[in-house]
């Protein structure tokens, strides 16, 4: 059995991914390559995918498209990422690409109708979720990586692709968002070393941080105040470790004239409640079900909770799709927490 490299991916897997990329025929008559990230993409999904897309383009791969399932709507903070011109709506994805590469996708269920493209001759998966189902022919999955962009950087270095400012900006956005501006537990010395290399490539971390983290519409602030105001603390949950939860509806979004992406950061103030180890934010989707975000400070493995409900994620950060009323979803989570104490 092949030993894993320090990054957690075997050398056999790295070599297979390198061969898959180097084996592509470049140019206008070359191979079609389809890159895919998960539904409702976040900074790591988009940044990792677009950063690698730019690297492929530098290698002469011009029949190249990037996409994600569902509505073709980018959160405002990511609309100026380098490489966004390579994004196409789901219906415009290649139908029979020679190579499919997925980014930050833990399971086939996160691909929506694009799951049909997994019939491609070669599928390379780049991810860092421990719950990844390893659905590709080549799986670069490193649960110890702070972000999928760390895995992307590993592949770029093996391909000999230098970090220019455009690639670096994409990877920095991915790294900064998934580490919570470098404050989550996965922020290792290696994470800071990667951030230093990305900054050295010519990016402006201050400008990026203001755009990604510190700029929100006034209506989004008002909406956040409402949603946080209806939070409920249950000190008996998680074996007495406590759970705090809240919810947001489509009506809330409409009342404040906001897009769904503004709800993505609501988990951060909720998870700061001192009396609760677990934070839960329940967000209504246009389809009428609920996108549920889970966070733990360490007492509970919330990925086990999420996986048992059809979702996935990490030990301290996970999610799933819920059904019923917000109260019923919260009760379901509470019922599973005690069984997943660490």
């Amino acid at each position: 059995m092949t030993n894993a490299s320090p990054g957690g991916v075997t050398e056999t897997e790295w070599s297979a991914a390198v061969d898959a990329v180097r084996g592509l025929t470049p140019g206008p008559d070359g191979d079609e390559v389809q890159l895919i990230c998960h539904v409702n993409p976040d900074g790591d999904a988009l940044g990792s995918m677009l950063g690698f897309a730019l690297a492929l383009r530098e290698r002469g791969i011009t029949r190249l498209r990037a996409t994600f399932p569902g509505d073709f709507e980018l959160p405002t903070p990511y609309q100026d990422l380098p490489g966004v011109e390579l994004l196409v709506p789901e219906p415009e994805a290649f139908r029979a690409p020679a190579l499919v590469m997925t980014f930050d996708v833990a399971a086939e269920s996160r691909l929506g109708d694009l799951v049909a493209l997994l019939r491609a001759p070669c599928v390379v998966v780049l991810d860092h979720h421990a719950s990844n189902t390893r659905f590709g022919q080549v799986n670069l999955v490193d649960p110890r990586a702070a972000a999928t962009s760390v895995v992307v950087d590993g592949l770029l270095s093996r391909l000999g692709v230098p970090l220019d400012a455009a690639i670096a900006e994409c990877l920095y956005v991915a790294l900064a968002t998934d580490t919570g501006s470098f404050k989550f537990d996965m922020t290792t010395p290696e994470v800071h070393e990667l951030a230093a290399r990305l900054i050295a490539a010519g990016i402006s971390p201050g400008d990026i941080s203001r755009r990604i983290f510190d700029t929100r519409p006034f209506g989004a602030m008002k909406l956040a105040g409402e949603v946080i105001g209806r939070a409920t603390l249950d000190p008996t949950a998680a074996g007495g470790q406590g759970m705090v939860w809240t919810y947001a509806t489509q009506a809330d979004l409409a009342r404040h004239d906001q897009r769904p992406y503004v709800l993505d950061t609501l988990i951060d103030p909720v998870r700061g409640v001192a009396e609760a180890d677990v934070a839960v934010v329940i967000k209504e989707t246009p389809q009428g079900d609920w996108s549920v975000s889970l966070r733990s400070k360490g007492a509970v493995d919330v990925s086990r909770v999420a996986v048992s409900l059809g979702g996935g994620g990490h030990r301290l950060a996970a999610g799933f799709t819920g059904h019923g009323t917000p109260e019923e979803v919260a009760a379901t989570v509470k019922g599973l927490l005690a069984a997943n104490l660490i």
Side-chain angles (χ1 to χ4, degrees):
M1 187 166 183
T2 306
N3 291 328
S5 70
V9 179
T10 68
E11 290 302 333
T12 298
E13 290 164 334
W14 283 123
S15 295
V18 168
D19 289 344
V21 174
R22 287 182 176 164
L24 293 169
T25 301
D29 298 318
D31 290 319
E32 293 179 345
V33 180
Q34 184 63 59
L35 309 185
I36 311 172
C37 67
H38 59 69
V39 65
N40 299 322
D42 56 12
D44 190 24
L46 286 168
S48 295
M49 180 171 69
L50 293 179
F52 197 80
L54 292 171
L56 285 177
R57 193 166 65 180
E58 288 189 5
R59 291 182 60 87
I61 306 302
T62 56
R63 302 186 73 188
L64 170 67
R65 295 177 184 173
T67 192
F68 51 87
D71 294 336
F72 189 62
E73 181 178 5
L74 278 183
T76 300
Y78 307 127
Q79 290 179 356
D80 293 326
L81 274 175
V84 291
E85 68 277 5
L86 297 171
L87 285 170
V88 300
E90 180 179 349
E92 295 180 21
F94 290 123
R95 293 297 97 187
L99 173 64
V100 167
M101 304 184 75
T102 69
F103 297 81
D104 209 42
V105 179
E108 299 95 318
S109 60
R110 298 283 278 164
L111 290 171
D113 292 340
L114 291 167
V115 70
L117 295 186
L118 298 183
R119 295 193 297 263
C122 184
V123 176
V124 178
V125 173
L126 295 92
D127 190 30
H128 70 129
H129 294 93
S131 61
N132 190 284
T133 59
R134 298 177 183 269
F135 53 88
Q137 280 80 47
V138 181
N139 297 288
L140 305 182
V141 179
D142 184 2
R144 291 178 289 179
T148 296
S149 58
V150 175
V151 181
V152 170
D153 176 69
L155 183 53
L156 292 181
S157 66
R158 287 166 172 82
L159 288 166
V161 178
L163 292 172
D164 61 20
I167 295 173
E169 179 172 338
C170 289
L171 298 188
Y172 186 87
V173 167
L175 188 64
T177 51
D178 250 32
T179 59
S181 292
F182 306 98
K183 64 185 179 184
F184 294 162
D185 289 345
M186 294 293 283
T187 306
T188 62
E190 292 75 18
V191 165
H192 283 297
E193 289 168 2
L194 173 56
R197 287 196 286 114
L198 297 174
I199 294 170
I203 65 173
S204 173
D207 289 343
I208 292 171
S209 293
R210 280 187 289 275
R211 186 173 77 241
I212 302 300
F213 299 110
D214 299 331
T215 303
R216 290 292 182 272
F218 180 72
M221 183 191 71
K222 298 287 285 184
L223 170 60
E226 275 191 25
V227 175
I228 293 170
R230 64 170 69 120
T232 298
L233 176 65
D234 186 342
T236 68
Q241 297 289 336
M243 178 182 88
V244 58
W245 69 276
T246 189
Y247 67 93
T249 67
Q250 289 291 302
D252 294 329
L253 288 167
R255 188 168 58 256
H256 292 282
D257 192 26
Q258 295 302 303
R259 306 304 301 158
Y261 82 86
V262 304
L263 301 175
D264 293 343
T265 58
L266 282 176
I267 193 68
D268 295 323
V270 177
R271 71 193 296 270
V273 172
E275 296 89 346
D277 179 83
V278 176
V280 184
V281 174
I282 304 168
K283 298 162 287 188
E284 188 180 19
T285 72
Q287 293 73 35
D289 50 22
W290 303 91
S291 175
V292 185
S293 297
L294 307 174
R295 298 292 185 272
S296 170
K297 294 174 183 173
V300 177
D301 184 344
V302 291
S303 70
R304 296 179 189 170
V305 175
V307 168
S308 69
L309 295 170
H314 307 285
R315 184 172 64 88
L316 303 181
F320 67 95
T321 299
H323 306 279
T325 66
E327 291 79 10
E328 289 168 341
V329 174
T332 298
V333 172
K334 178 183 176 181
L336 293 168
L337 289 179
N340 291 284
L341 290 171
I342 296 174

